Amino acid sequence: RIFSMNNSNMDALIKVVSAKLGVPAEQLKKELSEGKFDNAMKNMSPADAMKFNMALKNPQMVQQMMSTPEAKSLYNKLTGKG
């Protein structure tokens, strides 16, 4: 397991991502829970959107990326744990 993702951590992460993408947090949370990524992707750069699509198609790649010390540190900063 990489890290514990409770509702509080998830809400904090969604809040940070929604601010970055310019999408209201509740809207982003609803769309992501429904598997809809169009709204989030339209606010990404083409390069970021391409990386996001690649990650969606390859969960093992995401798991590998999220297990790095840098990703764990970033997660802790974004969620106020570090």
Side-chain angles (χ1 to χ4, degrees):
R1 193 165 96 173
I2 298 171
F3 27 51
S4 173
M5 183 63 80
N6 61 36
N7 284 340
S8 176
N9 290 348
M10 180 62 78
D11 288 342
L13 191 56
I14 286 177
K15 188 174 180 179
V16 170
V17 172
S18 71
K20 177 82 173 163
L21 294 175
V23 176
E26 286 302 313
Q27 179 182 344
L28 181 63
K29 185 175 183 178
K30 180 179 182 286
E31 290 175 0
L32 293 176
S33 70
E34 295 171 352
K36 299 177 183 175
F37 304 104
D38 295 340
N39 207 11
M41 290 179 59
K42 75 178 181 183
N43 294 314
M44 292 180 186
S45 71
D48 287 343
M50 185 178 77
K51 290 175 191 173
F52 184 73
N53 272 324
M54 288 175 54
L56 288 176
K57 294 175 184 174
N58 189 349
Q60 293 81 17
M61 180 179 78
V62 175
Q63 183 76 20
Q64 184 179 5
M65 289 185 325
M66 294 304 294
S67 66
T68 66
E70 295 86 358
K72 290 178 184 178
S73 175
L74 178 60
Y75 173 81
N76 288 336
K77 287 178 187 174
L78 292 174
T79 60
K81 301 285 184 189

